[in-house]
Amino acid sequence: MKKRFLNFVLVAGVAMGTVACKNNNENKVEPGEAQEAAVATEEAMTYEIDTTASTIDWRGTKPTGEHVGTINIEDGTLMATTEEITSGRVVIDMNSITVTDEGMEEKDKRSLEDHLKGTVEGKETDFFNVNKYPTATFEITGVTEENGQKVLQGNLTLKEETKNIQFPVNTEINGETITLKSETFIIDRTNWGVNYGSKSVFDNLGDKFISDEMELTVNVTARKTN
């Protein structure tokens, strides 16, 4: 992992107008327009993300199979009271995209990672184009509770697009440490201009398409600063 990770929190009360909403059937999020970042309360304390204990896991699928992996964090902080996260921001290191498929040969693993990063000549714009967009960010815009479940909301900026999303999380604030674990949630990558192999964007792909839906799971540990 790299440096600090993800500050999340939030959520969106009712998903209306430009506010992101969540598909209750499978935690698929529908992005909305960017919202104002949350402001830390006076009593909030600062927690730095421990990237050695934090991960973003991803999963993508296609008709012939699936790929899984992780993404590291470059920097991040959470602001929280003794009871709740109130704000935060995280910088995600897109150069750290890793494939963790079991049984994959090393050369195939490296080839896929390079394609995802966009470091292959002529394929820079297929996926994440890390030379042009080396980081992504998530900035908390709010946090709510729905039927006893905390929901985190924030602005996800990926490539040149910023969208507000929300997803369910479980958090624990215990003295010097915050732990945050999201339920697995689903985003549509094409909402952030990641269009390669998308049959909703390109015609005549047959069974060579890649699903627009990308699963993400966030596990974060943050430690209070002195």
Side-chain angles (χ1 to χ4, degrees):
M1 312 273 341
K2 241 173 191 180
K3 265 185 162 187
R4 308 189 182 128
F5 183 170
L6 192 48
N7 320 315
F8 277 84
V9 321
L10 164 39
V11 76
V14 209
M16 246 183 164
T18 62
V19 177
C21 60
K22 175 171 64 69
N23 182 323
N24 291 324
N25 293 327
E26 55 180 356
N27 286 344
K28 181 175 180 180
V29 297
E30 300 295 340
E33 294 182 7
Q35 305 294 308
E36 288 190 16
V39 178
T41 58
E42 289 186 4
E43 64 269 29
M45 295 167 285
T46 302
Y47 293 76
E48 293 187 352
I49 302 296
D50 179 354
T51 59
T52 65
S54 304
T55 59
I56 303 174
D57 298 322
W58 61 266
R59 175 177 177 265
T61 62
K62 54 185 178 180
T64 55
E66 66 175 37
H67 294 295
V68 295
T70 61
I71 307 175
N72 296 342
I73 304 311
E74 184 173 296
D75 196 16
T77 46
L78 297 174
M79 303 297 295
T81 65
T82 57
E83 297 181 347
E84 188 169 54
I85 297 170
T86 60
S87 63
R89 185 176 187 271
V90 62
V91 179
I92 304 164
D93 178 15
M94 299 306 294
N95 282 285
S96 71
I97 296 171
T98 301
V99 176
T100 59
D101 293 9
E102 290 186 9
M104 176 178 275
E105 292 189 12
E106 188 64 22
K107 64 180 180 61
D108 295 330
K109 170 177 145 57
R110 295 302 178 197
S111 177
L112 177 55
E113 289 172 349
D114 290 343
H115 192 191
L116 292 171
K117 293 175 186 179
T119 55
V120 179
E121 186 175 358
K123 298 183 178 181
E124 292 86 352
T125 61
D126 284 358
F127 289 100
F128 298 106
N129 197 359
V130 300
N131 288 328
K132 186 174 182 180
Y133 308 107
T135 61
T137 60
F138 183 88
E139 190 163 28
I140 294 168
T141 58
V143 58
T144 59
E145 190 167 311
E146 300 176 3
N147 300 319
Q149 173 70 68
K150 286 188 182 294
V151 182
L152 180 67
Q153 181 185 32
N155 295 326
L156 174 62
T157 300
L158 185 60
K159 299 177 79 170
E160 294 181 333
E161 295 291 335
T162 299
K163 304 287 186 182
N164 191 266
I165 64 172
Q166 66 178 53
F167 48 89
V169 295
N170 295 304
T171 60
E172 182 177 347
I173 302 174
N174 185 11
E176 302 294 308
T177 304
I178 294 175
T179 57
L180 180 151
K181 179 179 175 61
S182 78
E183 293 185 13
T184 297
F185 60 98
I186 298 170
I187 64 171
D188 182 336
R189 61 189 173 91
T190 63
N191 286 309
W192 286 267
V194 184
N195 296 331
Y196 180 80
S198 168
K199 65 179 180 180
S200 67
V201 177
F202 302 103
D203 297 326
N204 304 317
L205 292 177
D207 63 355
K208 304 297 184 183
F209 70 90
I210 300 169
S211 175
D212 292 349
E213 295 183 344
M214 183 177 183
E215 292 183 3
L216 299 173
T217 308
V218 176
N219 289 279
V220 174
T221 297
R223 307 189 189 282
K224 188 164 67 172
T225 60
N226 294 327

